[in-house]
């Protein structure tokens, strides 16, 4: 099929088809401005795909059908086999961005990914050991709570930088729009990615330690008795009363009257997504527990991370599946 297109270079229109490829190849691209080069490439692309409207419509239809079927399969998988779904999703969240960033030579991300992987691997190793050391739960929750706050702050700062760039505030500081936008998007990516990944590792560690700590079993009956002065998460003594203001951390009392260290119960409820009492498994009312309105967005942020997990972990797989189908059908 002969593709005919017109491109205007320096005010002169050139008509190119299969019989004029030599003439197109004689155009000296070094003499063209960036805008003219873009217009030339744009015209060549249109000429290449002219008459392929039916094929493009078929490719879009395949994409839509694949997205719908994949979504149904993922929902059923998550409902019927949540452990295997979470494990595979966590692995993809950890590996897929590594592949693309290595291919694109994003060394800053690779450095942060390596540091995160080493520390988190050590924390996860400690969390899965039996018998569990008495200091391990507190160490695990403090690390993931710190990671959670860092990712949340990084994401908010990145979003603010992007919005400032859109409103032109970067020009006040004489920063180029492309530089400030790249900086904001990078921070937003780091915050969201490590927020999702850290949250998944935290849930896995929480599941291991919930059974290893030994205060409750699968039957719902506690296997050990909890003293009023002992935190059920870390097993350490509570030195600050509920009504007192602590220097490093406070003490929280749940609606079931069980008391915990601040870092422990925050990590258990928010980071580990365990919205039940670690001792009696009673439902925890997070709105009553965190009365400060500035702390409530952390709960909504956690829900946002659950939302983004699908995009990061599965979207690339679905797009790859669509490309494979198109290749098999000869549409590419």
């Amino acid at each position: 099929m002969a593709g005919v297109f017109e491109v205007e270079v320096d005010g002169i229109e050139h008509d190119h088809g299969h019989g004029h490829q030599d003439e197109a190849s004689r155009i000296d691209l070094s003499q063209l401005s960036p805008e003219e080069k873009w217009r030339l490439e744009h015209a060549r692309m249109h000429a290449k795909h002219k008459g392929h409207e039916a094929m493009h419509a078929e490719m879009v239809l395949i994409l839509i059908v694949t997205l719908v079927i994949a979504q149904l399969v993922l929902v059923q998988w998550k409902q019927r086999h949540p452990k295997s779904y979470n494990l595979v999703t966590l692995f993809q969240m950890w590996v897929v961005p590594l592949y693309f960033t290595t291919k694109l030579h994003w060394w800053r991300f690779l450095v942060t990914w390596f540091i995160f992987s080493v520390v988190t691997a050590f924390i996860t190793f400690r969390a899965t050991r039996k018998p569990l050391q008495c200091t391990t739960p507190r160490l695990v929750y403090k690390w993931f709570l710190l990671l959670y706050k860092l990712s949340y702050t990084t994401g908010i700062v990145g979003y603010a930088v992007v919005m400032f760039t859109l409103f032109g505030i970067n020009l006040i500081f004489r920063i180029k729009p492309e530089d400030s936008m790249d900086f904001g998007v990078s921070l937003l990516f780091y915050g969201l990615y490590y927020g999702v990944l850290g949250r998944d590792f935290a849930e896995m560690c929480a599941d291991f330690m919930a059974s290893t700590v030994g205060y409750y079993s699968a039957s719902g009956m506690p296997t050990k008795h909890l003293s009023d002065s002992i935190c059920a998460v870390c097993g350490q003594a509570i030195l600050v009363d509920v009504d007192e203001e602590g220097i490093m951390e406070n003490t929280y009392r749940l609606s079931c009257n069980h008391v915990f260290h601040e870092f422990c119960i925050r990590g258990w409820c928010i980071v580990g997504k365990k919205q039940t009492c670690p001792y009696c498994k009673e439902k925890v009312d997070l709105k009553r527990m965190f009365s400060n309105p500035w702390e409530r967005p952390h709960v909504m942020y956690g829900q946002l991370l659950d939302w983004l997990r699908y995009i990061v972990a599965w979207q690339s797989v679905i797009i790859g599946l669509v490309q494979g189908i198109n290749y098999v059908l000869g549409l590419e």
Side-chain angles (χ1 to χ4, degrees):
M1 181 181 297
V4 180
F5 63 95
E6 294 182 0
V7 58
E8 183 178 346
V9 179
D10 292 333
I12 301 176
E13 291 186 350
H14 298 269
D15 187 13
H16 301 286
H18 280 301
H20 298 79
Q21 291 180 358
D22 293 337
E23 181 183 350
S25 62
R26 286 197 298 268
I27 297 178
D28 189 1
L29 297 179
S30 63
Q31 302 296 327
L32 302 179
S33 64
E35 181 181 357
E36 291 170 338
K37 291 180 181 178
W38 180 86
R39 292 170 61 186
L40 180 60
E41 293 297 329
H42 189 67
R44 286 176 175 172
M45 183 188 68
H46 276 283
K48 180 180 179 181
H49 294 279
K50 187 175 182 180
H52 297 170
E53 291 80 4
M55 183 184 70
H56 293 165
E58 188 174 351
M59 293 173 64
V60 171
L61 180 61
I62 293 175
L63 174 61
I64 296 175
V65 172
T66 306
L67 286 174
V68 173
I69 295 177
Q71 183 65 25
L72 293 176
V73 171
L74 290 176
V75 170
Q76 291 298 318
W77 183 13
K78 184 177 181 180
Q79 292 178 350
R80 297 174 183 272
H81 306 282
K83 289 187 177 180
S84 62
Y85 171 84
N86 292 332
L87 184 62
V88 173
T89 302
L90 176 60
F91 178 77
Q92 291 190 180
M93 284 290 302
W94 186 57
V95 173
V96 171
L98 177 65
Y99 168 76
F100 288 105
T101 52
T102 304
K103 190 175 182 180
L104 296 173
H105 302 99
W106 290 0
W107 304 118
R108 284 177 295 182
F109 173 83
L110 293 175
V111 171
T112 58
W113 182 91
F114 178 77
I115 296 175
F116 167 83
S117 299
V118 170
V119 178
T120 303
F122 171 74
I123 296 295
T124 305
F125 176 80
R126 290 282 300 271
T128 55
R129 296 304 93 193
K130 291 183 179 182
L132 191 70
Q133 297 183 11
C134 61
T135 58
T136 298
R138 187 175 180 83
L139 172 66
V140 171
Y141 292 129
K142 287 182 70 174
W143 161 246
F144 285 114
L145 188 62
L146 173 63
L147 181 65
Y148 190 79
K149 290 183 177 181
L150 288 176
S151 64
Y152 178 82
T153 304
T154 303
I156 292 298
V157 172
Y159 176 78
V161 172
V162 171
M163 295 305 297
F164 287 163
T165 304
L166 294 178
F167 285 106
I169 300 179
N170 59 293
L171 299 178
I172 300 177
F173 303 96
R174 297 182 179 180
I175 302 176
K176 295 181 179 179
E178 55 271 19
D179 293 338
S180 59
M181 183 62 73
D182 289 344
F183 179 72
V185 171
S186 297
L187 289 181
L188 191 59
F189 170 76
Y190 283 126
L192 295 177
Y193 174 72
Y194 289 114
V196 174
L197 199 59
R199 189 173 175 82
D200 286 348
F201 272 107
E203 182 178 15
M204 183 179 66
C205 292
D207 288 338
F208 273 106
M209 291 189 298
S211 59
T212 307
V213 167
Y215 285 106
Y216 65 79
S217 61
S219 62
M221 297 299 294
T223 57
K224 292 197 295 185
H225 176 69
L226 177 66
S227 173
D228 294 337
S229 61
I230 298 297
C231 174
V233 176
C234 68
Q236 300 298 304
I238 296 177
L239 304 178
V240 180
D241 293 335
V242 177
D243 299 330
E244 294 182 1
E245 186 72 20
I247 299 177
M248 297 297 296
E249 63 177 339
N250 298 323
T251 301
Y252 275 97
R253 183 187 300 275
L254 302 184
S255 56
C256 57
N257 291 326
H258 292 127
V259 292
F260 305 90
H261 293 122
E262 177 184 5
F263 291 153
C264 294
I265 196 60
R266 283 177 184 269
W268 179 270
C269 293
I270 296 181
V271 181
K273 294 190 290 186
K274 301 297 181 183
Q275 298 187 26
T276 57
C277 174
Y279 179 70
C280 64
K281 297 201 292 187
E282 181 176 325
K283 182 71 175 179
V284 176
D285 187 356
L286 294 181
K287 292 183 179 180
R288 288 185 55 189
M289 179 178 169
F290 304 121
S291 58
N292 188 344
W294 289 102
E295 295 177 343
R296 292 183 185 177
H298 288 276
V299 181
M300 294 184 292
Y301 182 66
Q303 297 173 352
L304 173 63
L305 297 184
D306 292 336
W307 219 42
L308 293 172
R309 184 184 293 105
Y310 165 78
I311 298 177
V312 176
W314 294 108
Q315 200 69 14
S316 59
V317 177
I318 295 174
I319 297 300
L321 181 61
V322 171
Q323 292 179 345
I325 294 175
N326 292 335
Y327 179 79
V328 172
L329 297 179
L331 298 178
E332 290 190 352

